[in-house]
Amino acid sequence: MAEYSGREPCPYRILDDIGGAYAMGAIGGSVWHFVKGWRNSPSGASFHGAIEQLTVRAPIVGGNFAVWGGLFAVFDCTLATVRRKEDPWNSILAGAATGGLLAARAGPKAAAKNAAVGGVLLALIEGFGILMTKMMAPPLPSKDDLKHGSEGAPATQPGLAPPIPYPTLRTAE
């Protein structure tokens, strides 16, 4: 964990993830329950029914998201501390542990099924992230790219263009 992961350190990451998950759930729940309230309300009371559903159900969805995000962050930080590395396996295992723990009240069969779903879902998300990172990365330079010919250009780091010469001012003669 010596390298910088670009995220908050673990105790603060948990609170950050809880807040982000609540916001995401509350916004998504607002849209979902607004539309649901609009569609299920009697004619002439659509807007009032939509607002009623939004105010009653959106905070609940946000809270459910916050619980999931908080448990996931706790498991992710625990795995990062125990394993002493930040890699996609932490997220995959944290997703499985979160899914299993949230379904534990329904019994071991449901917990195992939800743990598998959580692990597979996080594996897909992590795999997609790795795929996008590799697709967006610049191509590795070939041997010909690293050679700058005989013009005497100074060597550069792989993948960087040769330096541009400093412009000189020409005086009128």
Side-chain angles (χ1 to χ4, degrees), residues 7 35 65 81 83 93 104 109 125:
R7 296 181 65 192
V35 171
F65 270 64
T81 302
R83 296 180 67 230
L93 294 173
K109 186 176 178 183
I125 292 169

Side-chain angles (χ1 to χ4, degrees), residues 23-142:
M24 191 172 18
I27 291 169
S30 295
V31 172
W32 179 265
H33 288 292
F34 183 86
V35 171
K36 185 178 175 183
W38 186 279
R39 291 183 53 151
N40 293 334
S41 295
S43 183
S46 297
F47 186 74
H48 179 70
I51 296 296
E52 179 69 24
Q53 278 292 309
L54 182 145
T55 56
V56 169
R57 298 296 302 170
I60 295 171
V61 175
N64 290 341
F65 270 64
V67 168
W68 198 97
L71 281 175
F72 176 81
V74 166
F75 284 126
D76 192 32
C77 287
T78 302
L79 287 166
T81 302
V82 169
R83 296 180 67 230
R84 296 188 187 274
K85 60 168 72 170
E86 295 258 355
D87 63 359
W89 284 108
N90 290 348
S91 295
I92 294 167
L93 294 173
T98 301
L101 184 64
L102 288 175
R105 287 180 23 184
K109 186 176 178 183
K113 184 181 95 171
N114 282 303
V117 169
V120 168
L121 182 65
L122 265 295
L124 290 172
I125 292 169
E126 289 292 326
F128 183 72
I130 292 169
L131 176 73
M132 293 304 293
T133 301
K134 288 193 182 274
M135 281 180 35
M136 298 300 170
L140 293 173
S142 66

